[in-house]
Amino acid sequence: MKIAPLSLDDVTPWAKLLATAFNRQPEQMSQLLHFLQPETHLVAWGAWDGDSLAAQYSCLLRQLYSPTQDVNLPVGLSINMAVHPLYRGQGLIKQVAQPVYEHLAAKKVVAGVGFSNAAGVQVDKRSSSYGYRVVGQLRSYLLWLGSTAPCPDFELTTLWPEQPFQPVRQNTAVQFAWTSTSLRHRFACHPFRKYHFGVWHHQETIAGIVVYRPTRLFGLPAVGLLAVYGNDHLSLLQRWMAAVKADGYRWAYLVSTPQTSLLHTLRQTAVCLPQPISRTPYYLTLKPLTNTLPPAMFDFENWACLGGDIL
């Protein structure tokens, strides 16, 4: 078995492996790899059996905001871990993950961050050599949208706005350091997922944006709330809820860390019902790559993450 870095030169077997592992079409996975920019933002290594790619491990380079630091911290977001069914049970993930994290550490990346499902978190708990710690479980919330009159300065659209965004201050929690540019790439440029946007216009600028996706809950039309970007979250969410309610929706769905300030804001304008059981639970995990990580990063109560942070 040959362990080697992956690039877009390997896109055909790489996409084929991801399609097999995640029940997708190879063309979709090829588009996804180009979208993730493996040559610059995605660090990936694979295990080769001849011309066949048996396993791959990859981390997407991201910036993490910590209120105790003067600068954003570079982290690697673990995504799309995959082993072909014919090669499972051979310990290949450890073999391909090790050079990924060696590369990240050499680039002064401070940690690996992941959102593991129920199966993945068992790997994290069982394998001390893998190095990931389970920080906490994200929770699901059901929102009954309150009654607020729609505002003329707010629109629902499937197009990313062209106007400049107002500068956004960072929060007081550990969170991914989104910008209007990185949000645009994440949601508006995705090759096959289509997102909707709630846009708050103020004069010639954008005061805030909400990212969501129409869905169905219990057979009823609903929306999944994925990202909120702006300084005045209360006014932004009030406008968004009024607009989606006028569009025929009464329910919204949210996945988040339980202590994020956004939940407090949502409770001021909607009935927020925590769900005791999630069919697809996600766990925030952390792998230190330095001995100087801020202690706040290991405390789940200090984190603010939403469903849109999960790729």
Side-chain angles (χ1 to χ4, degrees):
M1 197 72 67
K2 177 184 176 182
I3 308 298
L6 297 173
S7 72
L8 286 180
D9 291 340
D10 310 304
V11 68
T12 299
W14 196 358
K16 183 178 179 181
L17 170 63
L18 294 178
T20 300
F22 299 107
N23 194 27
R24 292 281 190 174
Q25 295 299 316
E27 177 59 27
Q28 282 186 322
M29 295 297 95
S30 177
Q31 293 172 351
L32 183 66
L33 290 172
H34 283 88
F35 164 73
L36 293 173
Q37 304 176 65
E39 311 307 316
T40 55
H41 293 139
L42 190 69
V43 179
W45 283 64
W48 295 89
D49 184 5
D51 294 331
S52 299
L53 186 60
Q56 77 92 41
Y57 193 92
S58 55
C59 279
L60 187 65
L61 297 177
R62 283 286 179 83
Q63 295 289 313
L64 195 71
Y65 170 77
S66 172
T68 62
Q69 302 294 301
D70 295 329
V71 296
N72 291 334
L73 302 174
V75 297
L77 179 62
S78 176
I79 59 172
N80 296 338
M81 177 177 67
V83 180
H84 193 281
L86 296 177
Y87 297 91
R88 290 173 183 168
Q90 301 180 27
L92 290 180
I93 284 298
K94 291 182 183 179
Q95 297 181 50
V96 291
Q98 180 179 351
V100 169
Y101 288 112
E102 289 176 351
H103 176 91
L104 293 177
K107 295 293 186 181
K108 308 300 182 184
V109 173
V110 301
V113 180
F115 293 100
S116 293
N117 58 21
V121 81
Q122 293 305 314
V123 175
D124 298 330
K125 290 179 177 178
R126 289 195 302 264
S127 178
S128 58
S129 62
Y130 191 45
Y132 264 95
R133 306 181 193 179
V134 179
V135 181
Q137 181 181 350
L138 278 70
R139 295 195 65 179
S140 301
Y141 298 87
L142 193 61
L143 306 175
W144 172 253
L145 304 182
S147 298
T148 307
C151 297
D153 59 1
F154 196 88
E155 69 164 334
L156 302 180
T157 177
T158 57
L159 301 177
W160 191 262
E162 297 297 328
Q163 298 92 335
F165 279 69
Q166 295 179 5
V168 174
R169 300 180 300 273
Q170 297 287 4
N171 206 327
T172 58
V174 180
Q175 60 188 310
F176 288 99
W178 291 106
T179 66
S180 59
T181 300
S182 60
L183 277 174
R184 179 183 182 278
H185 179 263
R186 163 71 177 91
F187 295 107
C189 298
H190 198 284
F192 51 84
R193 290 181 184 160
K194 302 305 178 185
Y195 298 97
H196 292 230
F197 310 109
V199 183
W200 180 7
H201 297 273
H202 180 70
Q203 297 177 353
E204 300 298 323
T205 63
I206 303 301
I209 192 166
V210 178
V211 183
Y212 68 102
R213 291 182 71 184
T215 184
R216 297 191 74 84
L217 292 174
F218 316 113
L220 301 173
V223 291
L225 176 57
L226 297 172
V228 179
Y229 184 75
N231 288 315
D232 187 349
H233 283 180
L234 179 58
S235 297
L236 176 58
L237 287 167
Q238 286 176 335
R239 284 168 165 79
W240 174 72
M241 289 183 181
V244 294
K245 189 169 183 179
D247 210 28
Y249 298 98
R250 297 294 181 270
W251 293 97
Y253 180 74
L254 171 71
V255 175
S256 79
T257 48
Q259 299 300 324
T260 175
S261 62
L262 188 66
L263 285 175
H264 174 72
T265 303
L266 286 167
R267 292 187 178 105
Q268 296 181 57
T269 191
V271 178
C272 186
L273 305 172
Q275 301 302 290
I277 299 176
S278 173
R279 292 179 297 175
T280 55
Y282 282 98
Y283 300 81
L284 175 67
T285 60
L286 185 67
K287 177 183 175 69
L289 298 178
T290 176
N291 294 325
T292 59
L293 279 184
M297 292 182 63
F298 298 95
D299 187 345
F300 194 47
E301 292 190 357
N302 292 326
W303 283 79
C305 295
L306 296 182
D309 293 318
I310 305 171
L311 295 180

